[in-house]
Amino acid sequence: MAVQSEPSSETSAKKARLEEPDPAKSEPVIEDMSHYNIAKLLGQSDDGRVVFTQGTIVGKEGPAVVLFETNSIDLDKVKLFLSQQSVVKLVMNNDIYNIFSLDPPPGTHSIKTTVIHPATEKIINKFTQKPAYFVNETWEMYEKITKPYILEHLGDHKWVYNILEGTKEQDRIICKVEDERDGFVLAADLKWDMTTVENLYSLAIVQRRDIYSVRDLNQSHLPMLRSIRDKSLAAIKDKFGVPSSLIRVYLHYQPAYYHLHIHFAHMRYMVGAPYIGKSIALSDVIQNIELCGDYYQKMSLTYYIKDGHALSNELDKHGVIVRE
């Protein structure tokens, strides 16, 4: 699915997605990868599994961002590597340790490739590795700087609405609750193949279009938040056999896009920026609001932001970011 999430260096991989101006359009933007000309390396994920590149596609206008990701390896794939067709070369050995490079037989291990075209400056910036700075945002700073930025940069969320309205990616829906106030859709992120449970990564997208981030949440939203938590975890357990104790549930602040969404990731899957200064556990959000109904309209929130991000430029204008 095309649900977006942060790259883990800012990963996501979110999520890189191909945004489709025409919901009916289904033709791939590229069919032969030799038609992709790499201009530069933008960066890579913290775990080294995903490489972010920028380039152009032959016959297409505008830049493209292409992500190359090594898929996870399970025991069945390992068995395929144990073949005379595998090319093995000794790299070094020392006492009991022997290190080889192994090129598996063709077709046994693929590289997942995500193409984003045309790539906007925002997309390119998202996958470009740059210095990041911590910001301690007071409510006053949010009202004066961040909120006007959010309202000005809401962007085109058509891909989100396509999922919510049932016109796209319905084969990746795990759970759906139809309700004007508390409804949501839990959908598998494109970084997950929906098979390897250790890589489970999904997003719960709320039905409402007037909740942009955790800063908008208050006591009136507790039923919705509890419903998302309980029904999503139950659906994951029912469909994939993964208990709630192995699922990390969190929100990002600042999020990749300003339509409230909640991340559900397996404990062993570290993509999606589950880090200090980026993630807030949903359980903490619920408890904080239970203690104080307008908690997120009072408290300061600490987050990190990359140099060159449009919001960091606004923060710079007000002298918020300390660079030296």
Side-chain angles (χ1 to χ4, degrees):
M1 89 170 244
V3 173
Q4 185 98 332
S5 63
E6 288 282 334
S8 74
S9 45
E10 267 264 336
T11 251
S12 164
K14 290 183 123 290
K15 166 160 205 268
R17 62 175 296 115
L18 174 61
E19 299 198 16
E20 299 167 283
D22 179 3
K25 183 178 179 180
S26 59
E27 294 181 2
V29 70
I30 186 171
E31 295 183 350
D32 184 343
M33 289 308 298
S34 68
H35 292 168
Y36 176 59
N37 299 313
I38 296 178
K40 61 181 176 180
L41 174 69
L42 297 178
Q44 65 180 41
S45 61
D46 291 340
D47 59 8
R49 288 179 53 194
V50 190
V51 173
F52 316 134
T53 69
Q54 179 184 343
T56 57
I57 299 173
V58 174
K60 302 289 184 180
E61 293 290 333
V65 168
V66 179
L67 315 185
F68 298 93
E69 177 180 356
T70 57
N71 291 323
S72 60
I73 300 175
D74 56 23
L75 184 58
D76 289 336
K77 285 187 177 179
V78 170
K79 290 178 180 178
L80 295 175
F81 298 165
L82 306 180
S83 163
Q84 291 183 343
Q85 292 181 294
S86 293
V87 178
V88 181
K89 296 180 181 178
L90 178 67
V91 175
M92 66 152 290
N93 63 347
N94 185 353
D95 192 24
I96 64 173
Y97 300 98
N98 298 267
I99 300 176
F100 299 87
S101 68
L102 186 151
D103 294 325
T108 58
H109 192 59
S110 60
I111 300 294
K112 180 180 176 182
T113 306
T114 302
V115 180
I116 308 172
H117 180 275
T120 63
E121 283 299 318
K122 183 178 179 180
I123 291 290
I124 294 171
N125 182 68
K126 174 180 177 179
F127 291 103
T128 300
Q129 288 181 325
K130 296 179 180 179
Y133 301 91
F134 278 105
V135 173
N136 186 40
E137 180 190 82
T138 65
W139 175 251
E140 291 73 22
M141 286 170 55
Y142 171 78
E143 287 276 86
K144 183 178 180 180
I145 305 171
T146 310
K147 187 175 181 179
Y149 164 82
I150 290 174
L151 295 177
E152 186 179 346
H153 293 82
L154 287 178
D156 180 12
H157 293 157
K158 189 171 184 178
W159 65 270
V160 172
Y161 305 148
N162 287 341
I163 295 170
L164 293 173
E165 293 167 3
T167 63
K168 288 289 182 179
E169 306 182 35
Q170 298 308 288
D171 59 330
R172 301 187 70 82
I173 300 300
I174 299 170
C175 174
K176 186 170 185 177
V177 173
E178 298 277 6
D179 187 89
E180 201 170 287
R181 187 191 66 174
D182 299 335
F184 70 94
V185 169
L186 178 69
D189 188 281
L190 273 183
K191 289 188 289 296
W192 183 36
D193 60 10
M194 299 188 72
T195 301
T196 310
V197 294
E198 291 82 2
N199 290 347
L200 187 149
Y201 186 40
S202 302
L203 297 179
I205 305 172
V206 303
Q207 192 77 39
R208 292 176 57 171
R209 304 185 184 188
D210 60 343
I211 310 175
Y212 306 129
S213 75
V214 68
R215 280 293 197 188
D216 296 307
L217 297 174
N218 56 46
Q219 192 168 11
S220 69
H221 301 115
L222 285 175
M224 177 187 71
L225 296 175
R226 294 184 186 119
S227 173
I228 290 173
R229 176 195 61 194
D230 297 342
K231 292 177 180 177
S232 294
L233 290 173
I236 289 171
K237 177 65 168 66
D238 180 58
K239 295 188 177 182
F240 305 103
V242 182
S244 61
S245 59
L246 291 179
I247 301 297
R248 186 188 300 108
V249 187
Y250 57 95
L251 296 83
H252 280 159
Y253 191 75
Q254 298 288 328
Y257 54 95
Y258 293 101
H259 180 111
L260 188 72
H261 56 284
I262 299 171
H263 303 246
F264 288 75
H266 195 284
M267 287 291 292
R268 293 183 60 182
Y269 191 64
M270 297 305 293
V271 173
Y275 310 123
I276 293 174
K278 189 66 179 178
S279 300
I280 309 172
L282 177 59
S283 58
D284 289 345
V285 171
I286 292 173
Q287 185 175 42
N288 288 339
I289 297 175
E290 287 173 339
L291 291 172
C292 177
D294 57 352
Y295 181 94
Y296 289 101
Q297 291 77 54
K298 289 182 175 179
M299 297 303 295
S300 296
L301 296 180
T302 298
Y303 61 85
Y304 69 77
I305 191 161
K306 289 197 304 181
D307 202 14
H309 189 286
L311 177 56
S312 76
N313 296 336
E314 293 301 313
L315 295 169
D316 273 333
K317 291 178 183 177
H318 292 82
V320 172
I321 298 178
V322 179
R323 298 179 182 275
E324 295 183 358

